[in-house]
Amino acid sequence: MSAALLLAACGGGDSSDDSKPPERPTLLGVTSGALLDRGAPVDSEVRAMKESGVTTLRAPFYWWTAQPTQLKAPSFAATDPLVAAAARAGIEVLPIVVGSPAWAARHPELRNSPPKGTATYAAFLKTLIAHYGPNGSFWSDHPDLPKQPIEAWQIWNEPDHTHYWSDQPYERDYVALGRAARAAIKQADPHAQVVMAGFADRSWESIAAVYRAGAKGVFDVVAIHPYTYEVRNVLRIVEYARRALRKAGDGDRPLWLTEVTWSSGKRPGHPPAPFETTQADQAARLAQALPLLIRKRKQLGVDRIFWENWISTDSNHANPFDFSGLRVLHPDGTVTEKPAFAEFKRIALAQR
């Protein structure tokens, strides 16, 4: 999740007709952020999401947490509470399936290693669907919950960055992983959506690169993370991404913005990160960016927009994303709202 540099030129929009609204109001979502931290108030925060107009909760489902050893069946203790809370709230879940355990990694000593081959990752996806999918054991084991199967799976996160994918260039290996993931997902749940990893920085170039590596037909949805300081440049990045898809012969492919944010961690006397600002300015930029993207969504084929993220600890200045939440999780477990929360809630509830 790296910030993009300011863009220098402006691109045109897609003129394709996307006049039919979605059957469900699934436009605005959030990424979980610190919600998966130990002791986080998952149930009350997911209820707050529902009351604030959130329709989808995007969250990392870490492979290394669920399956640290090949000798035991995966455990879903880390994600079951989140899925249960979302089901009770009627919020969809978008898992980011990421993180090679050492036994399945190409480089066991590296936390950011890609998988060794594709078979073990594909098998893990099948196990996830067997647990959370339409016929998943999670639902039969919890008949008290409203059944809300997971219907979309995001394949990794930002493989163009060494933070998530150690071996660069990544394109051919990532497309091979995506192809194996698609086969596994469609076999387990033919109706599930296969979502490309979100790309940050010059995401339009990443789209072009993975399509040159054979991505066409592999992913049902393309995702980007349009990080930049100026609000107008968020829209430019989306325009460039749509243009890249058209050039790749896949211009009608749905586009999800799986991370949009500004950090509120700016401090006097310290140089800010490229997308770092104050709490008040974070709220102001959200209030400009989301309506702009919503107005242009049909023109640009944007189906979903996720704010990165719902809740953060606002404590680690070495990581700007630790200040990107709409809400703050304090060490004692209490939660406070930031100015951006009220703006997000106002905009999201208006989409219902």
Side-chain angles (χ1 to χ4, degrees):
M1 292 178 287
S2 296
L5 297 176
L6 296 183
L7 301 177
C10 181
D14 189 358
S15 60
S16 60
D17 181 17
D18 184 20
S19 59
K20 293 183 180 180
E23 293 182 2
R24 296 181 61 192
T26 55
L27 176 61
L28 289 180
V30 293
T31 298
S32 56
L35 197 61
L36 292 179
D37 289 4
R38 186 182 297 275
V42 173
D43 289 331
S44 60
E45 284 304 293
V46 173
R47 286 196 299 271
M49 289 180 195
K50 179 181 180 180
E51 295 167 359
S52 306
V54 171
T55 60
T56 310
L57 172 56
R58 177 178 177 261
F61 280 32
Y62 290 112
W63 185 14
W64 58 47
T65 299
Q67 198 176 14
T69 174
Q70 194 174 15
L71 301 178
K72 294 182 180 180
S75 167
F76 301 108
T79 49
D80 278 356
L82 191 75
V83 175
R88 285 190 288 268
I91 293 174
E92 297 181 17
V93 174
L94 172 63
I96 318 154
V97 186
V98 65
S100 302
W103 64 268
R106 181 181 297 168
H107 309 291
E109 73 283 3
L110 297 181
R111 198 66 164 167
N112 59 343
S113 173
K116 178 176 60 179
T118 61
T120 52
Y121 183 81
F124 180 59
L125 284 166
K126 285 185 176 181
T127 303
L128 283 168
I129 295 172
H131 189 64
Y132 293 123
N135 299 311
S137 58
F138 180 78
W139 308 110
S140 58
D141 290 344
H142 298 86
D144 55 311
L145 289 176
K147 185 177 179 181
Q148 187 166 285
I150 293 178
E151 299 175 336
W153 303 89
Q154 190 163 31
I155 309 306
W156 220 262
N157 190 58
E158 297 183 358
D160 54 323
H161 287 170
T162 56
H163 181 77
Y164 292 101
W165 194 279
S166 61
D167 295 9
Q168 301 289 325
Y170 66 93
E171 294 92 336
R172 291 189 181 278
D173 286 345
Y174 177 68
V175 170
L177 187 71
R179 189 173 291 110
R182 181 181 185 85
I185 290 170
K186 296 298 184 179
Q187 182 180 359
D189 179 8
H191 301 293
Q193 289 181 297
V194 182
V195 183
M196 184 183 289
F199 292 111
D201 296 323
R202 300 176 70 85
S203 50
W204 60 95
E205 294 181 354
S206 297
I207 290 171
V210 294
Y211 270 83
R212 286 194 298 269
K216 188 173 183 180
V218 174
F219 301 97
D220 300 311
V221 176
V222 171
I224 62 170
H225 301 163
Y227 288 122
T228 182
Y229 188 70
E230 297 295 341
V231 170
R232 64 180 181 271
N233 285 333
V234 175
L235 185 62
R236 289 178 178 179
I237 292 172
V238 180
E239 290 172 343
Y240 292 167
R242 177 54 62 192
R243 183 184 300 174
L245 286 169
R246 290 200 305 266
K247 288 182 178 179
D250 211 13
D252 294 330
R253 186 65 48 197
L255 189 61
W256 291 6
L257 314 185
T258 47
E259 293 179 17
V260 176
T261 207
W262 284 268
S263 167
S264 67
K266 184 178 180 180
R267 295 175 292 167
H270 294 266
F275 66 108
E276 194 171 42
T277 186
T278 63
Q279 283 197 12
D281 195 50
Q282 178 193 48
R285 290 174 187 276
L286 182 155
Q288 295 175 55
L290 293 188
L292 177 63
L293 291 168
I294 290 167
R295 286 197 303 272
K296 296 287 188 177
R297 62 177 293 238
K298 293 178 182 179
Q299 180 184 358
L300 294 172
V302 173
D303 282 358
R304 301 197 186 200
I305 304 166
F306 295 79
W307 181 264
E308 168 77 17
N309 51 54
W310 172 256
I311 191 167
S312 52
T313 62
D314 284 29
S315 60
N316 179 13
H317 283 281
N319 177 14
F321 290 92
D322 199 41
F323 290 82
S324 64
L326 301 172
R327 295 157 72 86
V328 181
L329 176 63
H330 299 284
D332 62 358
T334 60
V335 175
T336 55
E337 301 170 0
K338 290 158 71 173
F341 172 75
E343 296 293 348
F344 180 93
K345 182 176 180 179
R346 175 182 61 81
I347 295 165
L349 289 176
Q351 302 308 307
R352 288 184 170 177

